[in-house]
Amino acid sequence: MEGLVKAAVLALTAVGLSLVFGVMRVVNVAHGAFFMLGAVLAWTVAQYVPGDPMFGWFAALLIAPAIVAAIAATADTFVLKRLNYDPEATIVATIGLLYILEQAALSLFGPDAKPVPAPFNIRLQLPWFGYSGYKIFVVFAAVAVLLAVWWFMTRTRAGLVMRATQVDRQTARAFGINVDRVYAGVFALGAGLAAIAAVLLVPISQAHYLMGGDPLLLSFIVVIIGGLGSLRGTLVAALIIGLSDGVISMFWSPTLAKIIATAAVAMVLVFRPQGLFGARA
Amino acid sequence: MLKLEGVFGGYGGATVLRDVSFSAAAAEVTCVMGRNGVGKTTLMRAIMGLVRAEKGSIQLDRLEIANLPAHEVPRHGIGYVPQGRRLFGPLTVAENLEIGLMTRGRGHAVRESVLDLFPRLRERLGQVSATLSGGEQQMLAIARALCLEPKLLLLDEPTEGLQPSMIAAIRDVVVGLKAAGVAVVLVEQRVEAVLGMADRVAFMDHGQVVETVARQGLDAKSPLFRQYVGV
């Protein structure tokens, strides 16, 4: 179950990163900071909603990703667009954005880990051992969000416009597509997905201003193994890395899990640099 | 319909178009000819707003379009078939057409009329466009542009690398568009194709339109072709 939860949350986070790279060709180093921001905002929203923790958590699920997406869209408009989405310059810019967001979170929310109560505490008791009902919910919720993303990208006009822009932004402009608006939307969507993942995870792991490092590292591992820009590859790699990370961390050590994941990335970079499902450049 | 006056433009610091003046009228086919690198494709891209005109005026039906954002230019009724087709390769034929239809909010009826012109595409609506043959890809590139119901159609070397039957099919479509009142600007290197379609021929050299000649004044042995195209 630990592995499945990890894989589900990782898939959501990594799909956001992969989407941003696939459509915009931007390596978003601030992606982990958007994840962290989702978690601390979830804690903040939960503080202000009285009554049953379920209300606070569901309010956080709606509000935190929306705020994070708005911050991302603003960052796109005022930072990335001005750099003309130059690949090298945007890497430096998103590193800067990562530090700004982390320091802002430290200043506003403090250095302590913030617990967010789970919306419900149900235990699914089986003869051999029990499962947390919330963790099962996280897996199903992540699958539902991923299906919604797939539906959005393949069945809606907005998704079609994003895919066309991903293929050729110049030709997209020649067919009336406002590429700047698409980029702002994609950057917001990618950050929003990271924030949703964080809101799902925060009742299990608490919110902290430095919590974005691990999801960022694992997301990069996943998109490199899956193939940069390939959503299918991202999902498969998230399942492999998430499950192995969860199982190895549980039965051996988290450090060993990271070593194995990093070794897997090295193998992919040596033998199949375009990733498992990526197109050769 | 389309009028360029004193247009300068290029890429980065390099000026490619130097004081270009050029016009195209409704129900006419204007061919643009010239050697490689003289600025024919840059001219097409400047009209589409994909290359910023640093100086000069580009007017469509007296509306100044030189300063519009590139994505607003096609909404005024300019269809573009770029050199090398530049289809959205991983998208299906139907999805490529949908992008064209969305540009000016056109619907099912327009798609049907376009598919009537290219029945082979109707059989391949669900096929990924990158897997079409070269001729079919060119048909799709033209069909996608026609989904805008353009009043001005820019075609950049549409017959490049195609077999004669496909070239004839494209010529028929261009002639049909002209009869329907569409202004067509065609970048073309093949003299026989130009003589079969053009009403006027504009010759480009060193980033300028240096001479514009009516079709009646040209034949296959005209010295202008040798001078400006090298054939």
Side-chain angles (χ1 to χ4, degrees):
Chain A
M1 183 50 66
E2 295 304 320
L4 270 180
V5 170
K6 200 125 197 174
V9 172
L10 183 56
L12 270 182
T13 317
V15 160
L17 187 70
S18 182
L19 206 58
V20 168
F21 179 80
V23 177
M24 303 169 68
R25 299 283 140 183
V26 166
V27 177
N28 180 17
V29 183
H31 198 65
F34 289 130
F35 180 93
M36 172 276 295
L37 214 50
V40 293
L41 286 172
W43 172 78
T44 310
V45 172
Q47 296 298 300
Y48 284 100
V49 178
D52 193 294
M54 182 180 285
F55 299 129
W57 185 86
F58 273 108
L61 187 61
L62 295 175
I63 295 169
I67 294 174
V68 171
I71 291 170
T74 308
D76 172 81
T77 305
F78 289 103
V79 181
L80 304 183
K81 185 181 166 188
R82 288 174 184 219
L83 298 170
N84 202 24
Y85 301 99
D86 175 75
E88 287 91 13
T90 51
I91 290 176
V92 177
T94 55
I95 290 171
L97 194 57
L98 160 75
Y99 281 108
I100 290 169
L101 292 175
E102 278 188 356
Q103 293 308 307
L106 173 62
S107 305
L108 293 171
F109 304 102
D112 302 324
K114 320 281 187 197
V116 175
F120 51 86
N121 286 302
I122 301 167
R123 193 157 179 84
L124 192 67
Q125 194 60 48
L126 297 172
W128 48 97
F129 51 77
Y131 290 116
S132 154
Y134 179 70
K135 287 183 178 174
I136 294 170
F137 168 78
V138 167
V139 173
F140 279 102
V143 170
V145 174
L146 289 169
L147 283 173
V149 171
W150 172 82
W151 177 84
F152 173 77
M153 291 301 290
T154 59
R155 296 286 184 271
T156 68
R157 282 188 161 194
L160 177 61
V161 163
M162 285 182 183
R163 287 186 289 136
T165 306
Q166 175 172 1
V167 177
D168 186 341
R169 70 171 166 173
Q170 286 287 304
T171 305
R173 280 198 174 101
F175 284 88
I177 293 174
N178 186 341
V179 170
D180 292 338
R181 195 178 291 173
V182 171
Y183 280 6
V186 168
F187 204 61
L189 177 61
L193 286 170
I196 291 173
V199 179
L200 288 173
L201 191 68
V202 77
I204 300 168
S205 74
Q206 300 195 354
H208 185 259
Y209 81 103
L210 288 176
M211 71 185 295
D214 255 17
L216 178 68
L217 174 67
L218 286 173
S219 294
F220 271 121
I221 287 172
V222 161
V223 294
I224 290 168
I225 291 176
L228 279 167
S230 162
L231 292 184
R232 187 173 50 146
T234 301
L235 291 177
V236 171
L239 203 62
I240 295 168
I241 295 297
L243 278 173
S244 65
D245 192 87
V247 171
I248 295 166
S249 297
M250 180 72 111
F251 291 103
W252 288 279
S253 84
T255 309
L256 181 64
K258 299 290 181 297
I259 291 170
I260 290 174
T262 309
V265 167
M267 299 284 275
V268 167
L269 286 174
V270 170
F271 294 108
R272 199 175 160 81
Q274 74 273 31
L276 298 178
F277 292 88
R280 195 177 281 276
Chain B
M1 169 73 71
L2 175 73
K3 193 172 179 187
L4 283 78
E5 278 185 335
V7 172
F8 286 76
Y11 306 92
T15 301
V16 179
L17 302 177
R18 300 162 197 275
D19 197 14
V20 171
S21 294
F22 172 79
S23 66
E28 263 191 21
V29 177
T30 307
C31 284
V32 180
M33 298 190 85
R35 288 188 172 84
N36 288 336
V38 296
K40 303 183 298 294
T41 294
T42 308
L43 173 64
M44 298 290 113
R45 292 170 62 78
I47 296 168
M48 291 306 299
L50 298 171
V51 169
R52 188 57 49 209
E54 295 151 13
K55 264 203 285 187
S57 160
I58 304 174
Q59 291 187 353
L60 180 73
D61 286 338
R62 296 194 181 141
L63 171 74
E64 183 63 49
I65 59 171
N67 299 318
L68 290 179
H71 67 271
E72 285 185 18
V73 173
R75 293 177 191 166
H76 291 280
I78 307 182
Y80 181 40
V81 180
Q83 187 178 29
R85 297 148 201 155
R86 295 187 76 157
L87 295 172
F88 300 113
L91 272 54
T92 64
V93 170
E95 287 173 332
N96 270 277
L97 296 177
E98 182 66 23
I99 293 286
L101 292 168
M102 280 160 55
T103 310
R104 297 181 78 199
R106 298 303 192 252
H108 186 71
V110 172
R111 189 179 100 145
E112 287 306 301
S113 67
V114 168
L115 288 173
D116 287 343
L117 283 175
F118 301 102
R120 209 184 292 189
L121 294 179
R122 193 187 293 280
E123 300 159 15
R124 289 163 169 70
L125 284 172
Q127 190 171 333
V128 170
S129 60
T131 64
L132 297 172
S133 71
E136 289 165 347
Q137 287 192 10
Q138 191 63 65
M139 282 181 188
L140 178 56
I142 296 172
R144 182 180 61 176
L146 294 182
C147 282
L148 278 71
E149 285 195 306
K151 49 188 174 187
L152 169 65
L153 181 64
L154 310 178
L155 295 141
D156 196 348
E157 303 214 25
T159 63
E160 192 181 24
L162 298 186
Q163 60 191 43
S165 63
M166 207 57 82
I167 294 171
I170 288 171
R171 188 187 58 218
D172 291 346
V173 170
V174 170
V175 169
L177 289 169
K178 176 184 151 183
V182 175
V184 179
V185 177
L186 174 67
V187 172
E188 184 56 73
Q189 294 285 61
R190 306 157 72 98
V191 171
E192 65 276 21
V194 168
L195 294 174
M197 288 187 268
D199 294 293
R200 290 187 304 139
V201 181
F203 291 97
M204 284 191 77
D205 198 18
H206 292 98
Q208 284 186 311
V209 173
V210 288
E211 200 148 358
T212 303
V213 184
R215 159 70 183 88
Q216 289 84 350
L218 290 170
D219 61 43
K221 292 192 172 130
S222 169
L224 288 170
F225 289 125
R226 197 166 47 251
Q227 185 178 350
Y228 293 118
V229 190
V231 292

